[in-house]
């Protein structure tokens, strides 16, 4: 509705471009401005500590003394240290076994939860409990469960069921302690795996299963040819995270065994802390921590490249 | 190839009844279309034939064998889903060869069979692509190819064309029809588009609220609809329905216009009826019933005119070019032989 006296057309007012407006219209400047806060935060809170850690690994710093550059001396010394190699072995073993168990059980749980079962949402909520309680809390719980005298498991087996005469040795000798720690880690890690994989399972359209069913697939074949390839991408990401978290684990081990008995359950992270802080050898602790980097990079690259890249997900034409 | 017999089938989802006592009998090699408005249970019936939905009551048999408890893979059927359900992580070749692979067929057989289907459907160039690198029409063809490779007794289609644009739909319609002519496999095809139903079917099942309203050849449904629902559903533009009474050997609307009755059959006629006449069965006739022109829509080949007869709006489709304008009086005459009478109480056809 236009009034009779109004101008026929509204013309936008032409504004003078100031130099400031010009500057902000200039893409490179804009990019730098927009990236600066993020880059700044990264530098201060991520790169600086990391850089400092790496620097320390090449010094003989101890607590209270800044130390001097010693080159590779720390690493050479570690190369001849059986406790360090023990920690390397246990870190790899712990990560490998725990990851396999976590994924086997997590996938199984996710498949169960993906079916129609009674109280589904309630069970899903329960599943998350091990994940949401603080690690230290669950570590203390396990410490108590694994206690040589007061272990609830021992109590059940010895006093209730009467299947054993003596308490079970959970953390008193090397191998039982290692398996006990792995069990605790698996218990803690399953929810993350199960819930993530469940999310992946739920993105698979039911009609694919129906089509496969008509094509003659048994339930194992549907799992093998539909479920597995379809959740591979999310599995790869979850596995990458899981490996990193497990390899760098600290809280569980430190709270339950402190690396004992006789250094048999030291992970690289606990050993680094042990040497660096309580023992005061900052340089050596840092060197142990730095030696974790190649393992992590390798694990990440492996799961990323071996599992994540899938041609069918990408849109590009390939002919 | 096989017959499909649906005998007294009912279906409940919990306490809601979705299908009520459905009888459909499909002969060997027939192309049968299930048609009806959204939510009437077409997909449900199709999925029950496929074995993806269990059967609450009645029996379904394929090729003379009752399949109520036979798992889908043993029913020897192939289904094309509305969303195609192609395996996204497999190439076109692998998609089509999947059923053979599961059956442990040798590579040479897979190549032969897939090659044969690809040739029928013109997919030869696309065999190494992934589904997401295909257009909608190509995906549709791959889905059909996957079904063809199976060499099934029965093809089931659930609205396979509803994701395509109008032009492609017409083209694919012809292709599916041609495929059926070539392979002569018994086919059950679900759609809610009555044009698709009319053009493709040997027989049509018109469904409404889980009930089969009528089952017959397309032109039978057009010529002799059993009830008001089928009369209104089949045919485009839709049939005109006038309410009124039979008095003095003519049909009279409340405003007094007298319409000629179809030749009397043997049956009794109730007084209260609905008078159905298709737009294309109205003629211009100077001695006809006087109606008022509302809108004239020339389409070139014919002229559609929205008319008003007393209180009722109706549509006429004339071969002639009509130069009338809004408000003009246009006398029209139905062809009495092509008039349909329905009982107003029951909605059923009054046999003439
Ligand atoms: N799994 C289910 N649980 C409960 N009700 C369902 C289920 N599947 C379908 N229904 C109901 O059954 C009725 C028929 O559904 P169906 O999918 O067969 O309709 P349709 O005729 O195929 O419709 P459309 O043309 O929209 O696809 C609908 O009312 C629907 O709400
Ligand atoms: Mg449907």
């Amino acid at each position: 509705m236009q009034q009779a006296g109004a101008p026929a057309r509204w013309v936008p007012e032409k504004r003078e471009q100031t130099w400031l407006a010009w500057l902000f219209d200039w893409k490179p400047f804009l990019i730098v401005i927009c990236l600066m806060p993020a880059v700044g935060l990264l530098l201060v809170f991520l790169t600086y500590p990391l850089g400092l850690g790496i620097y320390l690994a090449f010094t003989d710093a101890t607590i209270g003394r800044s130390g001097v550059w010693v080159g590779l001396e720390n690493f050479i010394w570690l190369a001849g240290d059986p406790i360090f190699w023990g920690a390397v072995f246990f870190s790899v073993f712990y990560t490998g076994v725990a990851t396999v168990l976590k994924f086997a059980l997590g996938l199984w749980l996710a498949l169960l939860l993906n079916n129609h079962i009674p109280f589904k949402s309630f069970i899903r909520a329960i599943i998350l409990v091990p994940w949401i309680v603080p690690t230290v809390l669950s570590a203390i719980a396990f410490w108590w469960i694994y206690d040589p005298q007061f272990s609830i498991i021992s109590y059940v087996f010895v006093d209730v069921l009467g299947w054993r005469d003596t308490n079970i040795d959970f953390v008193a000798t090397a191998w039982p302690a290692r398996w006990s720690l792995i069990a605790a880690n698996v218990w803690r890690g399953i929810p993350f795996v199960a819930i993530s994989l469940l999310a992946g399972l739920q993105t698979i359209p039911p009609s694919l299963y129906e089509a496969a069913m008509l094509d003659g697939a048994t339930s194992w074949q549907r799992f093998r040819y539909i479920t597995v390839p379809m959740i591979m991408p999310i599995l790869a990401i979850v596995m990458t995270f899981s490996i990193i978290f497990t390899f760098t684990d600290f809280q569980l081990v430190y709270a339950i065994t402190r690396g004992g008995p006789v250094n048999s359950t030291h992970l690289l992270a606990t050993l680094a802390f042990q040497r660096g802080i309580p023992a005061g050898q900052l340089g050596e602790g840092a060197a142990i921590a730095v030696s974790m980097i190649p393992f992590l990079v390798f694990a990440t690259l492996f799961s990323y490249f071996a599992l994540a890249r899938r041609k069918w997900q990408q849109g590009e034409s390939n002919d | 190839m096989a017959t499909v017999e649906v005998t007294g089938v009912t279906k409940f989802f919990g306490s809601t009844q979705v299908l009520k006592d459905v009888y459909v009998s499909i002969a060997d090699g027939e192309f049968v279309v299930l048609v009806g408005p959204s939510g009437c249970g077409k997909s449900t019936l199709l999925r029950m034939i496929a074995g993806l939905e269990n059967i609450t009551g009645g029996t379904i048999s394929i090729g003379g064998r009752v399949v109520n408890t036979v798992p889908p893979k043993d029913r020897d059927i192939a289904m094309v889903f509305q969303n195609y359900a192609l395996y996204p992580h497999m190439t076109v070749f692998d998609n089509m060869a999947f059923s053979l692979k599961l059956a442990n067929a040798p590579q040479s057989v897979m190549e032969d069979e897939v090659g044969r289907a690809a040739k029928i459907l013109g997919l030869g160039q696309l065999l190494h692509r992934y589904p997401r690198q295909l257009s909608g029409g190509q995906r549709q063809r791959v889905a059909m190819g996957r079904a063809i490779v199976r060499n099934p007794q029965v093809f089931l289609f659930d609205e396979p064309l509803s994701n395509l644009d109008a032009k492609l739909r017409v083209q694919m319609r012809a292709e599916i029809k041609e495929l059926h002519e070539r392979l002569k496999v018994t086919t059950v095809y679900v759609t809610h588009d009555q044009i698709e139903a009319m053009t493709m079917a040997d027989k049509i099942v018109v469904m409404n609220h889980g009930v089969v309203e009528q089952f017959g050849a397309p032109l039978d449904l057009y010529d002799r609809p059993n009830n008001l629902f089928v009369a209104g559903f089949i045919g485009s533009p839709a049939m005109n329905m006038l309410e009124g009474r039979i008095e003095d050997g003519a049909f009279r609307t409340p405003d007094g216009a007298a319409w000629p009755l179809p030749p009397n059959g043997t049956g009794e006629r109730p007084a209260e009826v609905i008078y159905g006449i298709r737009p294309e069965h109205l003629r211009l006739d100077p001695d006809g019933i006087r109606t008022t022109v509302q809108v004239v829509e020339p389409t070139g080949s014919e002229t559609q005119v929205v008319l008003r007869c007393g209180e009722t709006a109706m549509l006429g489709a004339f071969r002639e070019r009509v130069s009338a304008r809004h408000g003009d009086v246009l006398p029209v005459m139905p062809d009495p032989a092509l008039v349909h009478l329905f009982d107003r109480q029951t909605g059923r056809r009054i046999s003439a």
Side-chain angles (χ1 to χ4, degrees):
Chain A
M1 298 300 137
Q2 216 165 42
Q3 281 170 10
R9 245 175 86 76
W10 176 80
V11 182
E13 199 181 319
K14 269 236 168 7
R15 254 175 296 166
E16 276 302 308
Q17 287 270 38
T18 64
W19 64 269
L20 205 65
W22 270 112
L23 197 59
F24 273 96
D25 270 352
W26 188 48
K27 258 236 178 89
F29 178 78
L30 204 65
I31 290 170
V32 169
I33 283 283
C34 291
L35 278 180
M36 220 143 73
V39 171
L41 281 173
L42 273 178
L43 279 178
V44 174
F45 292 107
L46 286 174
T47 316
Y48 173 73
L50 189 65
L52 183 65
I54 293 175
Y55 167 76
L56 281 176
F58 295 94
T59 67
D60 64 354
T62 54
I63 288 182
R65 195 166 61 83
S66 60
V68 295
W69 182 267
V70 294
L72 289 174
E73 196 175 293
N74 283 328
F75 292 96
I76 293 163
W77 195 84
L78 281 176
D81 176 8
I83 293 177
F84 170 76
W85 287 111
V88 168
F89 161 76
F90 185 55
S91 292
V92 172
F93 182 77
Y94 180 80
T95 308
V97 174
T99 304
V100 167
L101 289 177
K102 265 187 272 197
F103 275 78
L105 295 172
L107 181 59
W108 175 70
L109 209 57
L111 288 169
L112 275 188
L113 287 178
N114 199 32
N115 287 326
H116 292 289
I117 50 170
F119 309 113
K120 189 154 70 174
S121 42
F122 178 70
I123 296 176
R124 281 186 197 172
I126 290 284
I127 293 281
L128 275 177
V129 166
W131 176 249
I132 52 180
V133 293
T135 314
V136 182
L137 202 63
S138 44
I140 291 171
F142 270 102
W143 182 53
W144 197 233
I145 288 173
Y146 292 154
D147 188 274
Q149 246 121 60
F150 306 108
S151 162
I152 170 109
I153 302 177
S154 293
Y155 169 75
V156 167
F157 276 94
V158 175
D159 295 338
V160 179
L161 295 172
W163 290 358
R164 288 177 60 100
D165 298 331
T166 54
N167 278 0
I168 303 167
D169 151 43
F170 285 109
V171 289
T173 49
W175 279 104
R178 287 175 181 151
W179 286 109
S180 299
L181 287 175
I182 288 172
N185 181 277
V186 169
W187 178 82
R188 216 190 122 60
I190 281 179
F192 174 66
V193 175
I195 295 293
S196 313
L197 294 186
L198 181 62
L201 287 177
Q202 288 180 334
T203 62
I204 305 176
S207 61
L208 288 189
Y209 290 114
E210 293 177 345
M213 207 140 61
L214 293 178
D215 273 341
T218 60
S219 48
W220 163 250
Q221 285 169 325
R222 292 199 292 277
F223 175 73
R224 162 82 184 74
Y225 293 114
I226 311 287
T227 311
V228 170
M230 294 288 286
I231 59 165
M232 224 15 139
I234 196 156
L235 192 109
I237 292 170
V238 177
M239 191 174 274
T240 310
F241 275 103
S242 175
I243 288 176
I244 292 174
F245 289 148
T246 315
F247 196 81
T248 58
D249 197 7
F250 172 82
Q251 298 180 68
L252 271 181
V253 172
Y254 204 74
I256 297 174
T257 65
R258 303 211 169 232
V262 214
N263 295 323
S264 62
T265 60
H266 262 307
L267 292 173
L268 286 171
T270 52
L271 188 66
F273 178 77
Q274 186 89 21
R275 295 269 168 91
I277 309 296
Q281 302 296 328
L282 277 182
E284 202 185 315
I288 296 171
V290 165
S291 67
M292 290 164 78
I293 293 175
F295 290 101
L296 290 176
V297 169
F298 175 77
T300 312
L301 288 182
F302 169 76
S303 52
Y304 189 75
F305 282 107
L307 303 169
R309 290 286 213 164
R310 284 290 176 277
K311 209 174 182 183
W312 55 270
Q313 295 180 296
Q314 280 137 42
E316 95 261 9
S317 111
N318 62 344
D319 56 350
Chain B
M1 275 168 271
T3 58
V4 177
E5 296 281 344
V6 177
T7 317
V9 159
T10 54
K11 174 72 186 175
F12 282 86
F13 281 116
S15 61
T16 43
Q17 186 161 17
V18 177
L19 291 179
K20 294 168 195 145
D21 205 24
V22 171
Y23 284 85
V24 179
S25 165
I26 301 168
D28 192 4
E30 231 171 17
F31 195 112
V32 168
V33 174
L34 304 180
V35 68
S38 192
C40 70
K42 310 178 292 287
S43 300
T44 307
L45 181 55
L46 194 77
R47 290 167 57 81
M48 284 164 83
I49 297 174
L52 299 174
E53 222 54 93
N54 59 0
I55 300 168
T56 314
T59 59
I60 292 178
S61 46
I62 297 173
R65 178 175 65 133
V66 174
V67 293
N68 283 32
T69 55
V70 176
K73 68 186 172 74
D74 299 330
R75 293 192 182 195
D76 209 359
I77 43 141
M79 181 157 168
V80 176
F81 291 80
Q82 180 169 355
N83 63 359
Y84 313 141
L86 299 179
Y87 310 120
H89 55 289
M90 297 184 199
T91 60
V92 169
F93 180 92
D94 291 336
N95 260 283
M96 287 167 65
F98 189 56
S99 57
L100 296 171
K101 181 174 166 188
L102 293 176
N104 287 322
Q107 184 71 21
S108 61
V109 171
M110 294 205 282
E111 273 163 20
D112 287 353
E113 290 292 310
V114 172
R116 178 180 67 95
K119 203 166 140 219
I120 293 175
L121 296 164
L123 288 170
Q125 306 302 310
L126 306 174
L127 286 180
H128 55 280
R129 291 217 200 163
Y130 287 96
R132 59 173 303 163
Q133 302 167 325
L134 301 176
S135 73
Q138 290 166 337
R139 281 178 213 182
Q140 213 280 329
R141 258 183 284 232
V142 175
M144 285 194 342
R146 195 167 64 179
I148 291 174
V149 167
R150 303 264 326 274
N151 241 332
Q153 300 279 329
V154 182
F155 275 129
L156 306 175
F157 291 88
D158 191 356
E159 309 205 22
L161 305 185
S162 58
N163 290 345
L164 306 180
D165 71 36
K167 197 169 164 203
L168 196 55
R169 204 175 312 168
V170 173
Q171 185 194 332
M172 290 306 299
R173 196 160 86 192
E175 275 183 34
I176 293 177
K177 189 69 192 149
E178 195 198 307
L179 190 71
H180 178 253
E181 295 297 334
R182 175 135 44 139
L183 303 176
K184 279 286 172 221
V185 174
T186 313
T187 303
V188 185
Y189 184 105
V190 165
T191 177
H192 57 246
D193 178 355
Q194 61 98 11
I195 305 259
E196 226 167 271
M198 292 295 281
T199 51
M200 299 175 82
D202 294 326
K203 291 255 186 73
I204 295 181
V205 181
V206 182
M207 295 181 63
N208 190 26
H209 293 307
V211 172
V212 174
E213 297 279 358
Q214 193 169 356
F215 176 42
L219 293 180
D220 284 347
L221 302 195
Y222 179 86
D223 291 337
R224 297 180 56 81
N226 263 348
N227 51 45
L228 283 172
F229 179 80
V230 178
F233 196 81
I234 299 290
S236 166
M239 185 188 283
N240 297 305
M241 313 266 191
L242 300 172
E243 293 190 4
R245 305 174 58 80
I246 295 181
E247 273 168 15
D248 311 332
F251 170 81
R252 286 178 200 279
T253 50
D255 55 296
W259 297 73
L261 287 175
N264 204 344
T266 48
E268 266 304 292
R269 282 173 175 169
E272 301 263 312
V273 296
I274 288 179
Y275 187 89
I277 180 73
R278 295 196 184 277
E280 56 272 31
H281 296 152
L282 285 172
R283 282 179 289 112
L284 296 173
D285 184 340
D287 304 325
I289 296 133
R290 295 163 61 82
T291 58
T292 323
V293 174
Q294 301 286 309
V295 183
V296 179
E297 296 168 337
T299 62
S301 61
E302 61 173 23
T303 314
Q304 297 192 353
V305 187
V306 181
L307 301 162
R308 186 162 280 282
C309 172
E311 290 305 302
T312 330
M314 51 193 294
L315 189 74
F318 306 106
R319 303 311 279 161
E320 303 91 331
R321 305 219 158 158
V322 180
S323 54
R325 318 248 313 261
H326 176 81
D328 288 355
V329 169
L330 194 69
V332 296
M333 194 54 149
D335 184 341
L338 299 175
V339 164
H340 310 268
L341 284 183
F342 300 95
D343 188 323
R344 188 144 155 206
Q345 243 86 56
T346 62
R348 291 233 186 78
R349 177 184 191 83
I350 300 165
S351 51

